[in-house]
Amino acid sequence: MPDTTPHQPAPARQRAVKAVIPAAGLATRFLPATKAVPKELLPVVDRPVLQYIVEEAAAAGIRDILLVTGRGKTSMVDHFDRRPDLEARLAEKGDDERLAAVKRPSELAEIYTCRQGEPLGLGHAISYGESHVGDEAFACLLGDEFVEETEPLLPAMLDLQAQTGGIVLALIEVEPDETSRYGIASVEPSDLTGDAGEVLRVTGLVEKPKPEEAPSNLAVIGRYVLPPTLFDAIRRIGPGAGGEIQLTDAMALLLAEGTPVHGIVYRGTRYDTGMPLGYLQAVVQLACKRDDLGPAFSQWLAQFVEKDLRG
């Protein structure tokens, strides 16, 4: 007899609502500044890098964030705590603008923390999020880059992952001679669409290939939306590049086992503060965009370039 039982549509997957931010690195490129101050708290004008990242997550609807920290980095958590003494002083002075700015970090999201005992790779750091994330998809945001708030990327990644149930990566186009700095994706067309850029199906991942060996010029940047199966994959891989537990290796394992992997090609403005040059560029770019600082700073900068640098 034919099956007359009504069939219900498959339930929609839940959009990820938690994020893990690995922030336990030693930041040796910024020494000696980062000997006592975490790189993630270096100011970009008047907000630390980490606040921009948490703001990016909160704007995408993520209000539950786990910071994976390291030794000497407790001040990162302090930044998102309340300061009643400072708030009271600003309130007494009637400085409402700065009062709101001081309170804002504590209002962005619920911040949780755990400590990575020693830096053994990005995959190892992310593995500390398993008990917090549980059996849910989650976002992973690296602690040294963020995107322009008027050109968001994360919401489209979260929506796509809820649709596919697999891994969603953020991709940017790089010059051929830059491929050795990134994980590079091999890709093919996809019939899926995204609001933040072209959606491609990822067929392979290569860590920091030489230009002549790179399968494309599409580099993986520090935004991921990942399924909970990633944690088991991390347990099943051994040390990779540099003797560390690499996220790329765990994702490649899931890809080989049939997990769908897609990438969104982002062509908006990305600020990479992971190296001194990128950090300085981010400070200048964002200072120029400020209504209160931009006009005067831009004028000074133009004069500096014209007179001091060119003589």
Side-chain angles (χ1 to χ4, degrees):
M1 293 180 61
D3 183 4
T4 58
T5 304
H7 291 281
Q8 299 295 324
R13 296 183 180 90
Q14 181 180 351
R15 191 176 188 263
V17 295
K18 295 182 180 181
V20 174
I21 300 179
L26 298 176
T28 54
R29 292 186 183 95
F30 286 85
L31 288 171
T34 50
K35 180 181 177 182
V37 178
K39 177 183 67 173
E40 295 82 3
L41 291 187
L42 294 179
V44 179
V45 189
D46 57 2
R47 278 182 281 167
V49 172
L50 185 58
Q51 183 172 331
Y52 285 94
I53 294 168
V54 172
E55 287 174 343
E56 182 182 335
I62 292 178
R63 302 298 300 273
D64 183 317
I65 295 175
L66 176 70
L67 294 179
V68 181
T69 69
R71 188 172 291 103
K73 289 198 164 190
T74 56
S75 55
M76 290 193 299
V77 182
D78 293 339
H79 178 73
F80 295 94
D81 201 356
R82 295 290 299 272
R83 275 289 304 272
D85 56 333
L86 180 57
E87 293 170 19
R89 175 63 67 87
L90 293 170
E92 289 172 5
K93 294 172 61 178
D95 194 340
D96 295 337
E97 183 176 350
R98 286 192 175 86
L99 176 60
V102 166
K103 293 172 68 174
R104 177 169 168 75
S106 66
E107 298 168 346
L108 289 170
E110 294 294 326
I111 303 294
Y112 303 89
T113 183
C114 66
R115 177 177 288 187
Q116 183 186 20
E118 54 182 321
L120 295 177
L122 179 56
H124 182 256
I126 293 172
S127 72
Y128 278 76
E130 183 172 13
S131 61
H132 186 83
V133 168
D135 192 26
E136 301 176 23
F138 65 101
C140 176
L141 297 85
L142 300 194
D144 55 12
E145 61 183 271
F146 55 96
V147 303
E148 175 62 44
E149 63 182 0
T150 59
E151 303 167 325
L153 168 63
L154 193 55
M157 295 182 67
L158 294 168
D159 291 341
L160 180 60
Q161 198 282 335
Q163 181 180 354
T164 66
I167 295 169
V168 175
L169 307 175
L171 305 174
I172 60 168
E173 294 181 321
V174 298
E175 296 297 326
D177 62 356
E178 294 182 303
T179 59
S180 60
R181 293 177 48 205
Y182 296 92
I184 302 296
S186 55
V187 298
E188 61 183 31
S190 166
D191 58 0
L192 299 172
T193 58
D195 294 335
E198 179 185 10
V199 177
L200 299 171
R201 193 169 79 86
V202 176
T203 59
L205 295 166
V206 182
E207 187 66 25
K208 299 180 179 179
K210 297 177 181 178
E212 63 272 16
E213 298 173 356
S216 75
N217 70 330
L218 293 173
V220 180
I221 59 171
R223 294 293 179 272
Y224 312 82
V225 187
L226 301 162
T229 51
L230 179 85
F231 297 115
D232 180 63
I234 291 173
R235 280 191 288 271
R236 291 189 286 129
I237 61 171
E244 297 182 335
I245 304 298
Q246 299 291 351
L247 172 62
T248 300
D249 294 342
M251 294 192 299
L253 175 60
L254 292 179
L255 174 62
E257 293 175 344
T259 296
V261 182
H262 293 86
I264 296 180
V265 183
Y266 182 66
R267 293 186 171 89
T269 303
R270 167 179 171 257
Y271 303 103
D272 183 358
T273 65
M275 293 188 293
L277 177 59
Y279 169 75
L280 291 172
Q281 290 169 335
V283 172
V284 171
Q285 287 175 275
L286 287 167
C288 287
K289 291 182 178 183
R290 288 273 294 257
D291 291 337
D292 56 341
L293 297 174
F297 180 67
S298 298
Q299 182 180 12
W300 172 86
L301 186 62
Q303 293 171 347
F304 175 74
V305 171
E306 181 65 28
K307 295 180 180 179
D308 293 44
L309 294 187
R310 294 185 182 178

